[in-house]
Amino acid sequence: MDGYHRQMPGPSPVSAPHPAGDAREVRGACPHDCPDTCALLTTVRDGVAIRVHGNPEHRPTDGVLCTKVSRYTERSYHPERLLQPLKRVGPKGSGRYEPVGWDEALDAIAARLKDIAARDAQAILPYSYCGTMGLVQGESMAGRFFHRLGASLLDRTICATAGGEGLTQTLGGKVGMKVEFFAESKLIVIWGSNSIASNLHFWRLAQEAKRNGARLVCIDPRKTETADKCHEHLQLRPGTDGALALALMHELVVNDWLDHDYIARNTVGWQGLRERAMGWTPERAAQICGIPAQQIRDLARDWGTTRPAAIRLNYGMQRVRGGGNAARAIACLPALTGAWRHRAGGLLLSSSGMFPIDRATLQRPDLLAGRAPRTINMVTIGDDLQRPSSAQFGPRVEAVVVYNSNPLAVAPESAKVVQGFAREDLFTVVIEHFQTDTADYADYILPATTQLEHWDIHASYGHTDVLLNRPAIAPLGQAWTNTAVFRALAARMGFDEPCFADDDQALCRQAFGARVDFQQLLDVGFATLRIPDAPFADGGFPTPSGKCEFFSERLARQGLDGLPDHLPNHELAGSSSVYPLAMISPPARNFLNSTFPNVRSLRDIEGEPLLEICESDALARGIVSGSVVRVFNDRGEYRCKAQVSDRARQGVVNGLGIWWRKLGLDGTNVNQLTSQKLTDLGRGPVFYDCLVEVQAA
Ligand SMILES: Nc1nc2c(c(=O)[nH]1)N[C@H]1C(S)=C(S)[C@@H](COP(=O)(O)OP(=O)(O)OC[C@H]3O[C@@H](n4cnc5c(=O)[nH]c(N)nc54)[C@H](O)[C@@H]3O)O[C@H]1N2
Ligand SMILES: Nc1nc2c(c(=O)[nH]1)N[C@H]1C(S)=C(S)[C@@H](COP(=O)(O)OP(=O)(O)OC[C@H]3O[C@@H](n4cnc5c(=O)[nH]c(N)nc54)[C@H](O)[C@@H]3O)O[C@H]1N2
Ligand code: SF4
Ligand SMILES: [Mo]
């Protein structure tokens, strides 16, 4: 459906003039939802971006980008880029639109929102996530607009809240090791992460450690390309990480591989945790995890006796019912052995909590002025768009404004999400670069600028640098920044607070205020936060007690288990369910969530939507590689090609995501099968807690 242009596109009609042939480099930041937050250099000639490459001066980037973003010009100048506002002319979902002017579109949108707000602004729902991680084109002006309006609040849970909450209850926040010191570790446990695909710059550090003699262990139900390159792979069943972590503790206790001094001084709840762990013999966990008990014993010995030892935890392990508890259990392991004492020891899930972001200034929740709108969980958008008004729910959702997200492709139980967005009485605005699955259901589609065309400022969840993104080229066509859209809507709604006049550079400055040297960002493009090399060597965790909380008083007060435990999946393989296979749907290497499937050269590498299935499960079903299969459960059916592969373990099938529905064989993707059930902590999604059956089609 897209033309693939190998040649560089011609200059855009509105780009700023530059002396012919005089190329310049513009410093920026990768906007994608990836822990690496690379520093970009864009080569611009005659107002046209001709190359995007990694900034060699930025240490975490080290001059290297992933394949996706090194092809960024192909995405930005894609012939199907949305370049003018569009108004729906066909039925919802048909994708039929006609161009309209910005004024006409904005007038119509503002009139409709005003009309709804006059009854109850909570009937309006913003829906956004991390299409861009930029703090400005993310939730700055948009936050101000929806707060002032009194719209429903969105619980932005679709990725990381279970693990984030687990970490917060244990360590006090999304804090951990500084990523660069993984290079000095002697044992690296890569847990729930396909680093080569999704955290490439960490993988480079792990490789450096390996060259210096470190042992690499991977814990993942899928035999990923990362697992292939580690010394050891624990190929456990999805959603069993909590059991594994407790059994590791069991072995640390019985072999006394414990740092008693660190535990005594810097932890809370040791006696309770010790007792809990004693119930988790390696044999018990091995049965649940579906791996040999000896593998658990060996890993415990490695963890208990290697210094320095570090865990790179990632979000892949927390998209199951017990994800929050599993993250809690794993986060206890470094304190038990005193791994935090060394700068190359400890754990990193996310570094985002270490950034002093001034969200209150950016998003201005004070504009709610005492109102307390209801909160809608983005994971349950499928159900929530169908709900009638009620005392409990509040008003029926009458309008959704989508930006930086593609809910039809990324949210669970898509059939319901589609039904919701297909409602004739729902008013939908989508601000996008492309006509995504979601945009097909919009009443108005507004063309957004890409990272090459706007200012932004970035924190990171994989390192500890702040990055500034300067626009490299002028907006293409009639594309507007997200901030410009919300400024213009605010003006039409009559919101006259001065904050609606802040321009994007002012917003960039406000993001960190005086806490980051903005002049340095302007001069160099990035600035490193000042954080001790081994932040928890002597405790000092940002928890209420200042210690690593094996036992969380805060959870106990909510009536929850104060200690971490193993919580089995909602949908348990081997249970009495008629659906015998567990399906996981982790990221594809050449896509970034639902971004890039429409970029031809990257799609060609990924090929087509595939379901990996192991030989014995395939044989039992008469399935061969390349044949079309029906993957189904009570929520729906999804057709794709099978790939018989040892990347899948027995009982588990892998459907790499996140394809656009309209690029699938039958106009669906894996999320046709996933459920809207939630995690134990953080109200997150359970994408990898999903039973299915597979048949040859
Ligand atoms: N190329 C690429 N990079 C990405 C993304 C992408 O889509 N493509 N997505 C980005 C996003 S949004 C995020 S949140 C981050 C982090 O995103 P993550 O989803 O953590 O990314 P991965 O590390 O690729 O994948 C997680 C790994 O966890 C495994 N896994 C699945 N279930 C379980 C389980 O129960 N236990 C364990 N131990 N492992 C399990 C999967 O097989 C997979 O290999 O990556 C980002 N980076
Ligand atoms: N089955 C399954 N489903 C999953 C996952 C999984 O592993 N398996 N992963 C989940 C995870 S971890 C996440 S984070 C979510 C991701 O969900 P999303 O954040 O919704 O996905 P993205 O594809 O990253 O971004 C969505 C859109 O933002 C747009 N965009 C980018 N920049 C801009 C901008 O500056 N302005 C505007 N207006 N739009 C912009 C892009 O064009 C893209 O279409 O998906 C979740 N869904
Ligand atoms: S997607 Fe990740 S690895 Fe690729 S350029 Fe962006 S930050 Fe770097
Ligand atoms: Mo994510």
Side-chain angles (χ1 to χ4, degrees), residues 30-32 34-38 40 64-66 68-69 200-201 592:
C30 175
H32 289 296
C34 167
D36 297 17
T37 317
C38 290
L40 308 181
V64 177
L65 301 181
C66 62
K68 312 177 277 296
V69 174
L200 181 66
H201 294 78
L592 202 304

Side-chain angles (χ1 to χ4, degrees), residues 127 183 185 224 271 289 352 380 503 538 613 630 639 669 676:
Y127 197 97
S185 304
T224 60
Q271 279 319 316
C289 300
S352 64
T380 54
D503 67 19
D538 299 311
I613 183 166
R630 281 178 67 215
R639 280 169 196 254
N669 71 11
Q676 296 177 74

Side-chain angles (χ1 to χ4, degrees), residues 31-33 72 75 127-133 137-138 158-160 315 318-319 378 402-407 409-412 430-434 436 446-451 454 456 461 480-482 583-587 592-597 655-658 660 669-672 674 685 687-688:
H32 289 296
D33 189 350
Y72 224 61
R75 182 172 190 273
Y127 197 97
S128 64
Y129 199 62
C130 290
T132 172
M133 296 284 291
Q137 305 306 334
I158 203 140
C159 171
Y315 290 114
Q318 49 98 65
R319 298 186 184 117
M378 68 189 300
V402 181
Y403 53 100
N404 304 337
S405 188
N406 185 8
V410 307
V430 174
I431 313 173
E432 251 300 348
H433 299 147
F434 292 103
T436 58
L446 303 177
T449 47
T450 70
Q451 191 80 342
H454 55 226
D456 218 324
Y461 61 101
W480 280 23
T481 57
N482 291 343
M583 184 187 79
I584 57 171
S585 45
L592 202 304
N593 299 328
S594 73
T595 310
F596 295 110
L656 300 199
I658 307 174
W660 282 12
N669 71 11
V670 280
N671 279 323
Q672 197 76 5
T674 53
F687 292 115
Y688 306 165

